[in-house]
Amino acid sequence: MNDILNKFCIRTFGTSNLVTEIGMVTKVANRTIHVDWGVKKYVYQNKDFKWIPLTKEEVEKKYPKSKFTEDSLKRALAFGLEIKGTERSSS
């Protein structure tokens, strides 16, 4: 379970997967996982932890700038994530 330490958890909204919050796994114990969501730190029992922790590279690749709310984008930048806009081809 320690392999998820310092990885990111993403809370999304709706079918568009709009990123509303970004958390970081700060501690992993035998029965609990601690996540810092910025405003507050939460402690989850292993069975209640429902996120797939992502590395910095995975977050940057999976979520373009258009998928972030203003607050979650600020938090991503504070973590040092490089969030890019969507690439659109011109026709």
Side-chain angles (χ1 to χ4, degrees):
M1 280 304 270
N2 278 336
D3 58 329
I4 67 171
L5 191 62
N6 294 323
K7 289 193 177 179
F8 297 98
C9 298
I10 306 291
R11 281 188 179 157
T12 58
F13 177 78
T15 57
S16 65
N17 285 331
L18 181 67
V19 176
T20 57
E21 291 184 78
I22 300 174
M24 179 179 274
V25 178
T26 58
K27 182 179 177 184
V28 178
N30 285 342
R31 296 184 197 162
T32 59
I33 298 171
H34 301 238
V35 179
D36 178 3
W37 290 105
V39 178
K40 196 169 187 179
K41 291 182 181 179
Y42 285 89
V43 178
Y44 300 95
Q45 289 186 354
N46 287 354
K47 64 183 174 94
D48 297 329
F49 187 75
K50 61 183 178 180
W51 291 272
I52 298 172
L54 303 170
T55 63
K56 178 183 179 200
E57 294 79 19
E58 290 170 329
V59 173
E60 292 171 345
K61 183 177 178 182
K62 186 173 182 178
Y63 297 100
K65 188 174 184 178
S66 63
K67 293 284 185 179
F68 284 81
T69 63
E70 186 177 326
D71 290 337
S72 65
L73 184 58
K74 287 178 187 175
R75 181 128 166 100
L77 296 175
F79 276 130
L81 296 170
E82 294 180 27
I83 307 301
K84 298 180 175 107
T86 56
E87 299 291 321
R88 295 183 188 216
S89 59
S90 55
S91 300

